[in-house]
């Protein structure tokens, strides 16, 4: 083997091959063969790709004695985490007091998004945003820009510099928003098309057609979204659905002929395997069935749903209807960039629904599960040979309380659970993108 560009990372390693809790006869049952855990593991990276993962003792025996080894003792390596719904222009909207969705949009979010007409401003925030994600161990995200084409250009330029695999789209919105944030059906089509032609599959960048939600698009604009998806069948579609009761009532008023909220999008053929619907808290049975039939997915955003008072998503209901779902921060409605904190809040929301979200399932969702909903599991989300080497090194001793709790944990599940409930950006020792270290924590607290 050519060892010139080969590096071995030695630590505990957790890697999923499938869902650790598949549904059998309508019930989630633990499948221990769904994941690999190596207490003393070795991850071999060659030319930015995963070459091999296994027990350090076995792996090292197959490699030349002078191979470069990076040791992370008392650390856990997992694939880079994936966030399936986030708004980069809402960095400064985070922690805005007192409103639910519609007032929050009008009073805080829309004014903040107006600033992205200025490309220099957009670039500045895009760089801040990506650094924040990497600091939290998130290496891929499905991201909203603003209505401004240049906001997405700024984002992709910043992502390209870091070589991160990102999906982003220009928001399409032509009504029920301030004039300075409205485009037209034709302009939204032209700008989206031009961005797709330039950026989709350029390096690791991918494009998502992005009608904000049913409220802010006319019939003519939704037709343009449909046309884009027909012309470019391998791009993504991202939007919002059934997040808030006032929002839902407004949608029903605007689209009286639609069977329900999802049907608005369905009428324009916006459903499918690459379609991600954020929130979906208040969906009906028909909508669940339709999401299942079309292979569309729902993005669960617990910190946002709590912060905006939107409601408690029932993931068990989604599972019963075999609706694919992923997990996401939804910054700036969401309150943290950290997927660990997001999983912690997802656990609590699920408790409120009388159910459990296990630590294995949680970490599966943040990695391979989210990759699958984005149809990217042949590239990221696990340490399958040939996958892009995006990974995170988590520190079991990142804070005093984490360290104390870990010393009392007896099982892997207990240790992972403590990492999720007590972890945040301080738990991320290092983040690697395509085999290159892009974040190293300064010092421990
Ligand atoms: N619905 C439409 N736009 C938004 C947004 O920016 N954030 C959230 N949470 N919901 C939305
Ligand atoms: Zn959102």
């Amino acid at each position: 083997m050519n060892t010139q560009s080969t590096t071995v990372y030695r630590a505990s390693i957790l890697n999923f091959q499938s869902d650790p809790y598949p549904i059998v006869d309508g019930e989630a049952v633990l499948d221990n063969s769904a994941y690999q855990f190596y207490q003393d593991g070795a991850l071999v990276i060659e030319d930015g790709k995963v070459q091999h993962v296994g027990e350090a003792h076995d792996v090292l025996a197959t490699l030349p004695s002078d191979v470069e080894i990076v040791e992370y003792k008392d650390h856990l390596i997992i694939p880079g985490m994936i966030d399936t719904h986030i708004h980069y222009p809402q960095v400064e909207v985070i922690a805005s007091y007192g409103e639910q969705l519609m007032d929050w949009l009008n009073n805080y979010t829309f004014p903040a998004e107006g600033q992205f007409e200025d490309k220099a401003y957009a670039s500045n925030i895009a760089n801040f945003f990506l650094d924040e994600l990497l600091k939290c161990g998130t290496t891929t995200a499905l991201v909203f820009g603003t209505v401004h084409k240049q906001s997405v250009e700024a984002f992709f330029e910043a992502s390209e510099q870091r070589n991160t695999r990102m999906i982003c789209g220009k928001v399409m919105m032509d009504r029920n928003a301030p004039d300075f944030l409205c485009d037209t059906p034709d302009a939204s089509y032209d700008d989206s098309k031009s961005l797709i032609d330039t950026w989709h599959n350029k390096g690791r960048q991918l494009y998502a057609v992005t009608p904000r939600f049913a409220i802010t698009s006319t019939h003519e604009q939704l037709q343009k979204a449909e046309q884009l998806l027909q012309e470019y069948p391998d791009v993504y579609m991202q939007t919002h659905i059934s997040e808030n009761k006032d929002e839902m009532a407004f949608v029903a008023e605007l689209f009286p002929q639609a069977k329900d909220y999802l049907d608005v999008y369905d009428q324009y053929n916006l459903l499918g395997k690459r379609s991600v619907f954020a929130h979906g808290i208040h969906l009906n049975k028909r909508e669940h069935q339709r999401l299942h039939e079309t292979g569309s997915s729902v993005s669960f955003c617990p910190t946002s749903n709590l912060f905006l008072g939107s409601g408690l998503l029932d993931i068990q209901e989604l599972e019963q209807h075999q609706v694919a779902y992923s997990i996401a921060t939804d910054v700036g409605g969401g309150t943290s960039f950290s997927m660990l904190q997001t999983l912690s809040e997802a656990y609590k929301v699920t408790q409120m629904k009388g159910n459990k979200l296990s630590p294995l399932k949680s970490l599966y969702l943040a990695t391979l599960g989210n990759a699958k909903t984005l149809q990217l599991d042949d590239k990221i989300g696990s340490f399958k040979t040939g996958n892009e080497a995006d990974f995170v090194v988590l520190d079991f001793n990142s804070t005093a309380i984490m360290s104390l709790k870990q010393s009392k944990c007896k099982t892997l599940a207990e240790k992972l659970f403590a990492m999720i409930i007590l972890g945040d950006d301080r738990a991320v020792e290092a983040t690697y993108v395509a085999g290159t270290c892009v974040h190293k924590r300064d010092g421990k607290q």
Side-chain angles (χ1 to χ4, degrees):
M1 184 191 295
N2 170 16
T3 60
Q4 282 309 100
S5 60
T6 301
T7 307
V8 181
Y9 295 88
R10 186 169 181 177
S12 295
I13 298 175
L14 178 66
N15 179 43
F16 292 93
Q17 285 154 326
S18 59
D19 186 340
Y21 282 91
I23 308 295
V24 181
D25 295 332
E27 246 184 79
V29 180
L30 176 62
D31 173 8
N32 274 314
S33 70
Y35 65 96
Q36 302 156 322
F37 175 71
Y38 305 106
Q39 177 61 38
D40 179 12
L43 176 65
V44 186
I45 305 299
E46 197 175 27
D47 296 330
K49 297 270 170 76
V50 175
Q51 207 263 341
H52 192 60
V53 66
E55 288 292 353
H57 178 268
D58 301 339
V59 173
L60 292 174
T62 67
L63 295 169
S65 56
D66 64 347
V67 71
E68 186 190 352
I69 301 174
V70 179
E71 287 214 30
Y72 284 111
K73 202 168 159 25
D74 286 333
H75 287 70
L76 175 71
I77 293 180
I78 63 171
M81 289 181 275
I82 299 168
D83 184 341
T84 61
H85 182 74
I86 188 164
H87 300 252
Y88 102 79
Q90 293 178 15
V91 161
E92 69 180 83
V93 177
I94 201 165
S96 292
Y97 178 76
E99 310 291 6
Q100 293 211 350
L101 179 64
M102 299 308 288
D103 290 333
W104 174 86
L105 283 172
N106 287 315
N107 297 343
Y108 296 120
T109 308
F110 290 159
E113 292 193 6
Q115 300 167 101
F116 287 72
E117 190 187 357
D118 176 357
K119 171 107 186 257
Y121 187 83
S123 294
N124 199 20
I125 298 288
N127 282 300
F128 176 91
F129 172 90
L130 286 167
D131 288 344
E132 201 65 23
L133 284 185
L134 294 171
K135 196 163 89 185
C136 291
T138 298
T139 50
T140 288
L142 175 55
V143 182
F144 272 58
T146 62
V147 72
H148 313 97
K149 182 184 179 193
Q150 58 272 32
S151 74
V152 177
E153 288 166 344
F155 180 81
F156 279 138
E157 283 161 15
S159 175
E160 192 173 47
Q161 272 173 16
R162 290 163 179 77
N163 195 25
T164 38
R165 185 168 278 291
M166 290 284 158
I167 315 171
C168 186
K170 182 208 104 76
V171 168
M172 304 169 78
M173 52 198 294
D174 65 347
R175 64 166 166 176
N176 294 319
D179 285 348
F180 62 83
L181 277 189
C182 283
D183 54 14
T184 63
D186 283 339
S188 67
Y189 173 85
D190 292 344
D191 286 351
S192 302
K193 187 176 173 60
S194 152
L195 286 165
I196 295 169
D197 289 338
T198 308
W199 287 104
H200 187 57
N201 280 321
K202 180 163 189 251
R204 302 186 77 195
Q205 312 314 313
L206 295 163
Y207 195 81
V209 171
T210 308
R212 179 171 214 120
F213 63 163
I215 290 173
T216 46
S217 286
T218 57
H219 161 75
E220 289 74 23
Q221 184 164 64
L222 291 168
Q223 277 184 325
K224 292 293 181 186
E226 174 177 26
Q227 191 182 339
L228 286 164
L229 291 179
Q230 269 165 7
E231 289 171 7
Y232 299 94
D234 69 333
V235 301
Y236 292 84
M237 198 293 298
Q238 59 178 345
T239 191
H240 297 90
I241 194 165
S242 296
E243 175 179 6
N244 170 287
K245 293 281 168 69
D246 292 341
E247 169 211 15
M248 294 165 67
F250 197 5
V251 171
E253 227 175 87
L254 292 170
F255 297 91
Q257 77 293 357
K259 292 190 192 98
D260 43 43
Y261 198 156
L262 186 70
D263 194 45
V264 175
Y265 298 130
D266 209 357
Q267 283 175 9
Y268 300 95
N269 293 307
L270 301 184
L271 279 59
K273 281 193 159 64
R274 287 170 195 270
S275 297
V276 179
F277 294 90
H279 308 294
I281 303 168
H282 314 287
L283 297 168
N284 65 35
K285 193 169 172 204
R286 198 205 71 83
E287 291 174 300
H288 284 134
Q289 282 166 349
R290 194 66 194 130
L291 287 166
H292 165 68
E293 273 165 26
T294 55
S296 310
S297 66
V298 167
S299 188
F300 177 22
C301 308
T303 72
S304 169
N305 297 164
L306 292 169
F307 182 74
L308 293 176
S310 305
L312 306 173
L313 179 74
D314 189 344
I315 53 174
Q316 198 178 45
E317 200 175 13
L318 294 178
E319 287 181 358
Q320 278 160 359
H321 289 96
Q322 294 173 271
V323 176
Y325 66 92
S326 58
I327 186 137
T329 62
D330 191 30
V331 164
T335 52
S336 170
F337 284 84
S338 165
M339 288 299 287
L340 293 175
Q341 287 209 312
T342 303
L343 294 172
S344 175
E345 297 308 293
Y347 175 82
K348 296 170 199 169
V349 169
T350 307
Q351 278 276 47
M352 291 298 293
K353 287 289 182 187
N355 298 313
K356 294 192 178 82
L357 181 59
S358 81
L360 280 172
K361 179 79 176 201
S362 299
L363 290 172
Y364 164 75
L365 284 173
T367 57
L368 183 60
N370 278 6
K372 275 186 193 282
T373 63
L374 297 178
Q375 311 289 304
L376 284 175
D377 48 311
D378 59 337
K379 295 187 173 63
I380 55 170
S382 77
F383 295 136
K384 202 166 63 174
T385 299
N387 267 12
E388 297 163 355
D390 296 344
F391 60 95
V392 190
V393 184
L394 299 175
D395 182 357
F396 283 116
N397 297 297
S398 57
T399 60
I401 184 64
M402 167 93 78
S403 203
L404 183 142
K405 180 68 192 180
Q406 292 293 348
S407 74
K408 305 292 174 187
C409 291
K410 296 192 174 63
T411 64
L412 173 64
E414 285 174 4
K415 287 177 80 69
L416 298 177
F417 190 59
M419 174 62 78
I420 290 165
I421 301 301
L422 302 174
D424 52 31
D425 58 328
R426 292 168 296 178
V428 178
E429 176 81 45
T431 305
Y432 289 76
V433 164
T436 299
C437 185
V438 291
H439 165 72
K440 195 112 181 65
R441 198 184 49 188
D442 297 329
K444 289 183 187 176
Q445 296 208 1

